[in-house]
Amino acid sequence: MKKALWTVLITLGCIQLQGCMQVALRASPSLFPNVAATIFEECDPEFAKASIPSNLKLMEGLLKSDPDNKKILTTLSMGFAGYALLFVESEDPERASVLYLRALGYGIKALGDNGALLQSRAGGPKAVSAALKNMGQTDLEALFWTTLSWNAWINLNLDKPSALAELSASEACLKRVLELDEHFFYSAPHILMGASLAARPPLLGGSPEKARFHFEQAMQKNQRKFYLTQFYFAKYYAQFYFAKYYAVGFRTRSCSPAPSLR
């Protein structure tokens, strides 16, 4: 009898503690983005690389106390996407794909019912369009990291039918982010659109000319001070351009230099 009573008391205590934890977490909405920001502003790349995973696991632990906390979900989406982009993708694309999907899952959940509709796409393109129109400035951050994760995963898996099936929905998300705020996060929506258009072949809606326009918009708006712009430009657009140029050059045995890309 005493053992059963202690079990009940401990259970009630845990429930009450969890409730207090939820109140505390929701009373500090700026805590989580600030924690993430201090990691991504770290000047020592190796220190940041070592710190991010433990901080993400801490966030996942806090999420268990408040599973629907939009700030924690958005921060986790940003954290996993940023970690995959900065430290994993170039060395291990398969692992990066898994991390991007993890970031996508948190982002979708942060978007609530509209996010669930985006993921299931029940009702077809019109329902997806309606869900995106329902999203405003309060959803921008979560939508941006969801979109980044989604597009990054697709770009790494363009040889898979499952990725191609996601193109229309992810592109619709990207267009909505541009509509809401093209200047968000150092004009990153333009960077994502440029990468998306440059990574895909024309048959899948790719366009090097349109890609370059978006990269130039980003560089103009962030005054070339956000170096991820130049990195993506080189990775997606310039790589495609020079591969095409030199392929033509070899076929025609031309020795003229390639035009410069400023």
Side-chain angles (χ1 to χ4, degrees):
M1 188 69 180
K2 288 183 179 180
K3 185 176 181 181
L5 181 59
W6 274 112
T7 302
V8 172
L9 290 174
I10 291 171
T11 302
L12 290 174
C14 289
I15 292 172
Q16 186 176 11
L17 181 60
Q18 185 177 22
C20 292
M21 181 67 77
Q22 288 181 346
V23 172
L25 292 175
R26 293 177 183 180
S28 307
S30 64
L31 170 64
F32 312 110
N34 288 340
V35 170
T38 60
I39 296 298
F40 287 109
E41 290 171 2
E42 174 58 47
C43 296
D44 186 330
E46 290 302 317
F47 185 82
K49 183 178 181 180
S51 301
I52 291 175
S54 59
N55 279 275
L56 290 176
K57 291 307 297 180
L58 173 62
M59 292 287 179
E60 286 185 323
L62 293 173
L63 186 65
K64 288 184 179 294
S65 297
D66 193 2
D68 298 316
N69 190 304
K70 185 173 180 176
K71 281 293 184 182
I72 301 179
L73 289 165
T74 301
T75 301
L76 282 167
S77 182
M78 174 179 67
F80 278 105
Y83 181 69
L85 173 67
L86 296 174
F87 301 113
V88 183
E89 184 176 319
S90 60
E91 298 178 0
D92 192 344
E94 289 189 10
R95 182 176 174 234
S97 290
V98 174
L99 293 172
Y100 282 133
L101 287 178
R102 200 163 170 178
L104 174 60
Y106 284 125
I108 288 289
K109 191 171 181 181
L111 292 170
D113 292 339
N114 289 321
L117 188 57
L118 282 179
Q119 188 174 41
S120 66
R121 290 190 286 286
K126 289 185 178 179
V128 170
S129 178
L132 288 170
K133 286 183 179 179
N134 286 336
M135 298 183 198
Q137 289 297 323
T138 57
D139 302 302
L140 175 59
E141 188 177 8
L143 180 60
F144 171 79
W145 291 107
T146 300
T147 303
L148 184 148
S149 307
W150 211 341
N151 280 271
W153 178 79
I154 290 172
N155 289 342
L156 288 177
N157 295 276
L158 285 172
D159 58 332
K160 299 176 182 177
S162 58
L164 299 181
E166 304 290 317
L167 275 173
S168 60
S170 66
E171 186 176 359
C173 289
L174 186 47
K175 288 179 179 178
R176 182 56 177 158
V177 170
L178 275 166
E179 289 174 0
L180 287 171
D181 187 359
E182 63 178 320
H183 305 290
F184 181 76
F185 201 66
Y186 308 102
S187 299
H190 279 293
I191 302 172
L192 293 186
M193 183 63 83
S196 179
L197 291 168
R200 288 180 281 159
L203 285 174
L204 296 177
S207 171
E209 293 77 16
K210 291 180 181 178
R212 177 162 184 160
F213 166 80
H214 284 286
F215 281 125
E216 288 179 342
Q217 284 291 303
M219 285 187 275
Q220 178 184 347
K221 295 177 188 301
N222 60 40
Q223 301 178 333
R224 297 176 180 265
K225 294 180 179 179
F226 186 55
Y227 295 114
L228 196 63
T229 315
Q230 289 89 314
F231 173 78
Y232 263 59
F233 181 83
K235 180 177 181 179
Y236 290 102
Y237 178 83
Q239 180 174 281
F240 164 84
Y241 183 91
F242 282 110
K244 181 179 179 181
Y245 178 85
Y246 283 112
V248 173
F250 283 129
R251 285 200 302 270
T252 60
R253 296 184 180 181
S254 171
C255 296
S256 57
S260 62
L261 294 175
R262 293 181 294 171

